[in-house]
Amino acid sequence: MSRRKPRPRTTTAAAPAVTATSPCPCGLDAAYGECCGRFHAGAGGTAPTAELLMRSRYSAFVVRDEPYLLRTWAPETRPHDVDFDPALRWTGLDIEAATDGTAFHQHGTVTFTARFRHDGEPGSLHERSRFARHEGAWVYVDGDFID
């Protein structure tokens, strides 16, 4: 399996159809509306752990929810916008490890592999992401790609 990093593009295409009753893209055994969708909509508060924030951010990439991604990005590393590659489709998420990142911590890390198809070719992104609390909520700070 290829371990290419997805290339950013400036063009956006329609997001894949995910409804409130669809299986959640993050891989947990729940409907999108009851899982990550509630965080995206703001109805479920904020993700209570770094791992749940990681899962909800992955789902936000799947459904191309730029406002959520920017809202959950640390101010010091947040880009101005998110470019979604129209040729990229996220196909699965595996959480490999989570360190700290609970209600008792101020920082945490999540190591994951996100699978995708780019122009029909399979690939994966392996990253160790860093998260921190900002104004009481978990935010994504940055990450290191793992080969």
Side-chain angles (χ1 to χ4, degrees), residues 5-27:
K5 296 176 189 103
R7 296 180 305 236
R9 303 263 176 122
T10 55
T11 328
T12 56
V18 175
T19 67
T21 58
S22 298
C24 194
C26 81

Side-chain angles (χ1 to χ4, degrees), residues 14-18 25 32 40 58-66 84 90:
V18 175
Y32 170 71
H40 297 171
Y58 169 82
S59 293
F61 274 103
V62 170
V63 301
R64 300 184 181 158
D65 186 344
E66 181 183 43
F84 298 105
W90 296 101

Side-chain angles (χ1 to χ4, degrees), residues 24-26 32 35-37 39-40 47 49-74 77-79 82 84 90 93 95 112 114 127 129-131 138-143:
C24 194
C26 81
Y32 170 71
C35 195
C36 296
F39 299 129
H40 297 171
T49 66
E51 180 180 337
L52 285 176
L53 180 62
M54 174 62 238
R55 288 179 178 280
S56 69
R57 286 179 54 83
Y58 169 82
S59 293
F61 274 103
V62 170
V63 301
R64 300 184 181 158
D65 186 344
E66 181 183 43
Y68 182 78
L69 289 166
L70 294 175
R71 187 169 66 246
T72 59
W73 214 310
T77 58
R78 180 186 306 135
V82 179
F84 298 105
W90 296 101
L93 176 68
I95 301 293
F112 67 92
E127 182 177 311
S129 294
R130 284 179 285 282
F131 297 87
W138 285 107
V139 293
Y140 170 78
V141 177
D142 60 16

